[in-house]
């Protein structure tokens, strides 16, 4: 199973130093999911072919609000997770787009969708200067493509930007939000400002793993790990293993609550409270023992 501090989007970007999440500026501490949750709304922007990709969802507006009290505390989780924003190469939009203009984002290594306030005309001008060509998309709207360089395609408006390395298919198909495992994981996480999904592989006892961040204030952050597993027996084994990690690593994970919900898609949840001294994102950056507990199930 591809779960490691370096293998996940969250861990890999953090270790490279550029790790990467409404209106109220903070998230509920409720553990209950919602079919209309912002997280599922973000996942709905990605096509159904993203299941084998690392996916990062971020409510950036919420984190900017939380960061006003302590920007250093949230710097591990404050940036969108897509490689397009965190690459070392020059951005195709030049200076016409800044990360602070993005309010919410959902990204993989090949595609993504951002919502915010953008200068569409300036971005279009920058793309054109970089050799991108404008055409009418199959489903309507302008599409900017550059097959000679990155192969990336963009759709740009004043409040939304979508990008894909495979272009845009006009056919209405399923989205990542329609995937039952992702639905289950989102329900498990509840109201989060950030979620980082690890890729699943067929045949693994754990079908999907995700790390989420919740906060009621800048000083009280809660990290949630959710694992969608193949059967109740696997759920029981993972519950026991997570409990052993909490005990063996004391006091690192003191206060952690591990629960299991059995059924058609069993899910194991570990809710880990932080103190004001701990940095959000630690479970997949430094204190990875809980995250790694699934590696040898």
């Amino acid at each position: 199973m591809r779960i490691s501090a370096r293998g996940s989007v969250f861990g890999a970007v953090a270790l490279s130093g550029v790790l990467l999440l409404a209106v109220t500026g903070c998230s509920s501490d409720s553990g209950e999911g919602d079919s209309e949750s912002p997280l599922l709304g973000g996942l709905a922007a990605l096509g159904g072919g993203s299941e084998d990709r690392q996916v990062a969802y971020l409510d950036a507006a919420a984190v900017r609000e939380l960061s006003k009290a302590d920007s250093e505390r949230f710097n591990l989780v404050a940036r969108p997770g897509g490689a397009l924003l965190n690459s070392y190469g020059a951005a195709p939009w030049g200076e016409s787009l800044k990360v602070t203009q993005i309010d919410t984002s959902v990204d993989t290594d090949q595609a993504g969708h951002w919502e915010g306030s953008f200068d569409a005309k300036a971005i279009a001008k920058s793309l054109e200067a970089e050799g991108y060509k404008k055409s009418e998309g199959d489903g309507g709207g302008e599409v900017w493509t550059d097959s000679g360089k990155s192969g990336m395609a963009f759709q740009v408006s004043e409040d939304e930007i979508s990008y894909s390395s495979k272009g845009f298919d006009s056919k209405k198909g399923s989205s990542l939000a329609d995937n039952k495992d992702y639905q289950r994981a989102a329900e498990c996480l509840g109201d989060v400002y950030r979620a980082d999904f690890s890729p699943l592989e067929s045949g693994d006892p754990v079908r999907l793993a995700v790390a989420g961040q919740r906060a009621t204030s800048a000083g009280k952050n809660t990290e949630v790990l959710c694992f969608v597993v193949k059967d109740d027996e696997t759920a029981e084994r993972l519950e026991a293993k997570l409990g052993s990690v909490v005990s063996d690593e004391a006091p690192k994970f003191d206060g952690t609550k591990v629960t299991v919900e059995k059924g058609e898609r069993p899910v194991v949840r570990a809710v880990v409270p932080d103190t004001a001294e701990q940095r959000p994102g630690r479970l997949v950056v430094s204190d990875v023992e809980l995250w790694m507990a699934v590696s040898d199930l």
Side-chain angles (χ1 to χ4, degrees):
M1 182 173 185
R2 286 182 288 168
I3 294 181
S4 69
R6 292 184 181 271
S8 69
V9 169
F10 210 9
V13 180
L15 293 171
S16 67
V18 287
L19 180 78
L20 321 173
L21 184 108
V23 175
T24 59
C26 58
S27 299
S28 165
D29 201 34
S30 167
E32 298 300 322
D34 191 312
S35 61
E36 300 299 324
S37 72
L39 173 56
L40 278 177
L43 295 177
L46 293 181
S50 300
E51 287 89 350
D52 61 346
R53 300 287 173 182
Q54 294 166 330
V55 179
Y57 163 83
L58 176 69
D59 183 344
V63 170
R64 285 197 291 270
E65 190 67 25
L66 290 166
S67 296
K68 289 179 179 179
D70 188 346
S71 60
E72 184 177 350
R73 172 164 159 73
F74 288 91
N75 64 2
L76 289 178
V77 292
R79 289 181 62 86
L84 192 63
L85 283 169
N86 298 297
S87 65
Y88 291 103
W93 50 76
E95 298 297 320
S96 60
L97 186 154
K98 300 183 184 303
V99 175
T100 52
Q101 294 174 305
I102 299 173
D103 291 335
T104 62
S105 66
V106 58
D107 298 270
T108 72
D109 60 342
Q110 292 188 343
H113 181 80
W114 309 330
E115 296 184 4
S117 298
F118 310 111
D119 188 339
K121 291 182 179 179
I123 294 172
K125 185 176 180 179
S126 297
L127 291 173
E128 186 175 19
E130 288 294 317
Y132 284 77
K133 303 297 183 182
K134 181 175 65 175
S135 62
E136 187 73 14
D138 292 341
E142 296 178 350
V143 176
W144 292 88
T145 57
D146 180 19
S147 58
K149 294 182 181 179
S150 65
M152 195 67 68
F154 292 91
Q155 290 182 324
V156 181
S157 71
E158 297 294 329
D159 52 11
E160 293 182 303
I161 294 176
S162 296
Y163 67 92
S164 174
S165 64
K166 296 183 177 180
F168 298 101
D169 190 347
S170 62
K171 297 178 181 178
K172 295 295 183 181
S174 63
S175 74
L176 201 55
D178 297 315
N179 181 287
K180 298 297 184 181
D181 289 334
Y182 278 80
Q183 290 177 10
R184 191 77 170 103
E187 178 185 50
C188 173
L189 288 178
D191 188 8
V192 293
Y193 64 78
R194 184 181 181 98
D196 289 86
F197 296 84
S198 177
L200 54 88
E201 294 180 352
S202 60
D204 282 340
V206 176
R207 303 166 65 111
L208 181 63
V210 58
Q213 306 291 328
R214 302 200 303 249
T216 53
S217 67
K220 187 178 180 181
N221 196 78
T222 300
E223 301 201 39
V224 185
L225 299 181
C226 290
F227 305 94
V228 181
V229 302
K230 70 175 184 177
D231 52 35
D232 289 346
E233 181 182 353
T234 301
E236 292 172 355
R237 292 204 316 271
L238 181 54
E239 178 188 26
K241 193 168 184 180
L242 290 171
S244 294
V245 171
V246 171
S247 177
D248 294 344
E249 296 293 331
K252 184 184 294 186
F253 303 117
D254 281 2
T256 295
K257 183 179 180 180
V258 180
T259 58
V260 172
E261 294 181 14
K262 297 181 179 180
E264 182 180 353
R265 282 180 171 77
V267 64
V268 182
R269 177 199 289 123
V271 179
V272 187
D274 281 348
T275 69
E277 290 74 34
Q278 294 167 323
R279 301 171 70 189
R282 70 183 178 107
L283 295 188
V284 285
V285 174
S286 56
D287 300 337
V288 300
E289 292 87 351
L290 289 170
W291 183 246
M292 294 297 295
V294 303
S295 60
D296 59 352
L297 279 177

